[in-house]
Amino acid sequence: MTDARPAPEEEVVKHFREHASGEPPAHLDAFILSAAHRETATPKYSFWQRWVQACQKPRWQVAFASLVGVALMLALVQRTPEHAPTYDSTPAPNTSSFAARKESAEAPASLARSMAAPAGAKPAPAPAAPMADFSAPAQSESINAEMADEAKVSKKTAAAPSKFIDDQLREVIRLQKAGQTKAADDLMTTLHKRFPKENLATRLKELQKN
Amino acid sequence: MSASEPSDESLLARYRSGDGPAFEILYARHRQGLYRFLLGLSGKSELAEEVYQDTWLSLIRSTSQPQGRANFRTWLYQIARNRLIDHWRKHGIRNPLHDSYDEQVHALSDDSADPEQLLSLSRDTQRLETALHTLPADQREVFLLRAHGDLDLPQIATLTETPLETVKSRLRYAQQKLRRLLAEEVLT
């Protein structure tokens, strides 16, 4: 028969376990447990999970949106041609300056006015009218209106330059016949400047024959 | 701890991976034993509380695990012991655990101890504490690690970096002296 009682030495150990005192203070327990909760590691996520979570945070949304915005701006700047179009170069294939296009725009108007004016009724103003229109654009018109008209005329000119030239040449002929040689010469000079590649003299002769 | 209960090591691993309640279980298991070990070894409640707090905070903030053959319990008590020794060193207190002690001499007076006195050991906590503090520090340490840390002798030998036979003798002499002191207290 064996003795179930532990050895005398172990009895002392057991006695101490049962009757010793001493407990950590409650405030210390609370402090340590709260520290443990505070320091609890966040669960480990994969790279993409962490990326999605980060993007869901407002500050990251703002940062991400800013980054995208900057990238878009840079992309646009990179794609912009070096010589950005200004209103001076509004589509007008055969024009090179605002003044020239202004001339082309005003020319039909002056033509119409000179056509409408009775021959000889106002001999002096008639030849000056086209030149006056060239040198002094209508100041009452706004820049925007001018630009709109200019664009329209430019488009028409681009669509039918030969018709425009013919009309101008007919005006030259009319002025010559009316004895307004200087005005005719001025108009011809303007046409030469504007259409340097056109054989205006030959065309003028053809129209005179007709 | 039954077989169905998670081990200390698995609880620590769970806590490290974000399971907060795992720490509560771990803490509940060891809070009393660790505190009594430190209180018995230092003899001062303020110092015991300070080292106790440092030990747990160190464990909470550390990412390390018990190394080698050490289990969680050994590791925890090792941290606490090192912290206490650091405190003594920092405050210029000579480490009492390093005192050499002739255990043979102190064991002589216990030869005539009556085994029947075991039945009448004092349960008075004050007497228990007083008896405990009459032990030399190295004997007290081994006894406290055995009683409150529930460590076996090889673990105590590893933790204290002391030969196993020395640990055995320290524990034996400590137990004999405590038994005698407590029994005497009862008989007077």
Side-chain angles (χ1 to χ4, degrees):
Chain A
M1 184 176 173
T2 56
D3 189 359
R5 202 176 67 177
E9 289 79 11
E10 282 300 309
E11 192 79 25
V12 178
V13 169
K14 187 182 175 188
H15 185 79
F16 261 83
R17 282 178 184 158
E18 289 174 355
H19 298 106
S21 64
E23 293 279 337
H27 70 85
L28 207 51
D29 286 341
F31 177 78
I32 290 166
L33 289 173
S34 68
H37 279 288
R38 205 168 45 247
E39 299 282 336
T40 301
T42 53
K44 293 178 180 176
Y45 294 107
S46 68
F47 174 79
W48 291 112
Q49 285 174 318
R50 278 183 282 143
W51 172 253
V52 168
Q53 285 182 347
C55 289
Q56 287 171 348
K57 293 179 182 177
R59 62 193 174 120
W60 284 104
Q61 286 176 352
V62 172
F64 188 69
S66 303
L67 190 66
V68 169
V70 169
L72 282 172
M73 286 176 61
L74 285 173
L76 287 172
V77 168
Q78 294 289 328
R79 287 175 177 274
T80 302
E82 289 183 5
H83 301 289
T86 63
Y87 69 84
D88 281 340
S89 58
T90 306
N94 294 327
T95 58
S96 58
S97 69
F98 178 79
R101 277 177 279 113
K102 185 67 185 171
E103 289 168 7
S104 66
E106 294 296 332
S110 64
L111 176 65
R113 280 194 293 271
S114 56
M115 291 286 283
K122 290 184 179 178
M131 300 308 295
D133 287 339
F134 286 148
S135 58
Q139 294 180 353
S140 60
E141 294 178 358
S142 68
I143 294 295
N144 289 338
E146 287 177 6
M147 292 300 298
D149 293 339
E150 177 191 6
K152 288 177 185 174
V153 172
S154 298
K155 285 178 183 175
K156 288 176 183 174
T157 306
S162 59
K163 181 177 182 303
F164 175 73
I165 291 170
D166 287 352
D167 289 342
Q168 293 294 294
L169 291 173
R170 286 192 189 94
E171 174 67 6
V172 170
I173 293 167
R174 189 193 68 76
L175 290 170
Q176 285 173 344
K177 287 179 179 177
Q180 298 171 3
T181 313
K182 188 174 183 305
D185 290 342
D186 289 341
L187 182 55
M188 200 60 192
T189 303
T190 303
L191 289 171
H192 275 297
K193 285 179 182 175
R194 185 170 175 187
F195 305 107
K197 293 180 180 178
E198 295 290 333
N199 193 347
L200 297 174
T202 306
R203 184 64 185 155
L204 182 64
K205 287 177 183 176
E206 288 175 1
L207 290 172
Q208 283 172 336
K209 288 176 185 176
N210 295 334
Chain B
M1 186 173 67
S2 70
S4 61
E5 290 177 335
S7 68
D8 293 341
E9 292 73 22
S10 68
L11 287 171
L12 181 64
R14 278 167 50 187
Y15 173 65
R16 293 268 193 265
S17 60
D19 183 0
F23 180 83
E24 294 177 12
I25 301 171
L26 201 58
Y27 183 74
R29 278 184 191 172
H30 298 286
R31 59 182 284 281
Q32 189 184 73
L34 184 69
Y35 183 78
R36 288 181 179 179
F37 164 72
L38 288 169
L39 185 61
L41 198 57
S42 68
K44 297 174 183 174
S45 60
E46 295 82 7
L47 177 55
E49 288 175 17
E50 182 183 336
V51 176
Y52 177 84
Q53 177 180 310
D54 285 351
T55 301
W56 283 109
L57 292 182
S58 170
L59 186 144
I60 288 167
R61 289 166 184 166
S62 169
T63 56
S64 60
Q65 302 276 349
Q67 300 292 318
R69 295 163 59 189
N71 61 14
F72 174 81
R73 188 184 292 269
T74 313
W75 186 58
L76 179 66
Y77 281 82
Q78 179 78 66
I79 295 172
R81 182 178 187 268
N82 290 343
R83 295 273 166 176
L84 184 58
I85 292 172
D86 285 346
H87 176 88
W88 284 330
R89 190 180 298 142
K90 186 177 173 183
H91 291 83
I93 300 170
R94 192 165 56 89
N95 181 1
L97 300 176
H98 288 169
D99 290 348
S100 60
Y101 189 78
D102 189 346
E103 284 137 357
Q104 296 294 333
V105 172
H106 287 263
L108 291 175
S109 60
D110 198 50
D111 289 343
S112 59
D114 182 0
E116 291 303 316
Q117 289 178 351
L118 292 171
L119 299 174
S120 54
L121 289 174
S122 173
R123 295 180 180 182
D124 183 81
T125 55
Q126 185 61 46
R127 289 177 179 173
L128 289 173
E129 287 177 20
T130 304
L132 191 63
H133 284 94
T134 60
L135 293 176
D138 50 4
Q139 286 186 17
R140 190 164 74 244
E141 179 186 38
V142 171
F143 180 80
L144 290 168
L145 287 170
R146 180 77 192 103
H148 298 312
D150 201 17
L151 300 177
D152 57 28
L153 298 183
Q155 287 174 327
I156 295 171
T158 303
L159 194 153
T160 58
E161 298 177 339
T162 308
L164 180 60
E165 289 306 314
T166 305
V167 170
K168 283 180 181 176
S169 64
R170 284 178 182 173
L171 180 62
R172 186 169 62 251
Y173 295 142
Q175 288 169 328
Q176 288 173 353
K177 186 169 184 179
L178 288 172
R179 187 181 60 193
R180 179 174 53 80
L181 290 173
L182 294 174
E184 286 172 355
E185 291 289 335
V186 171
L187 291 174
T188 53

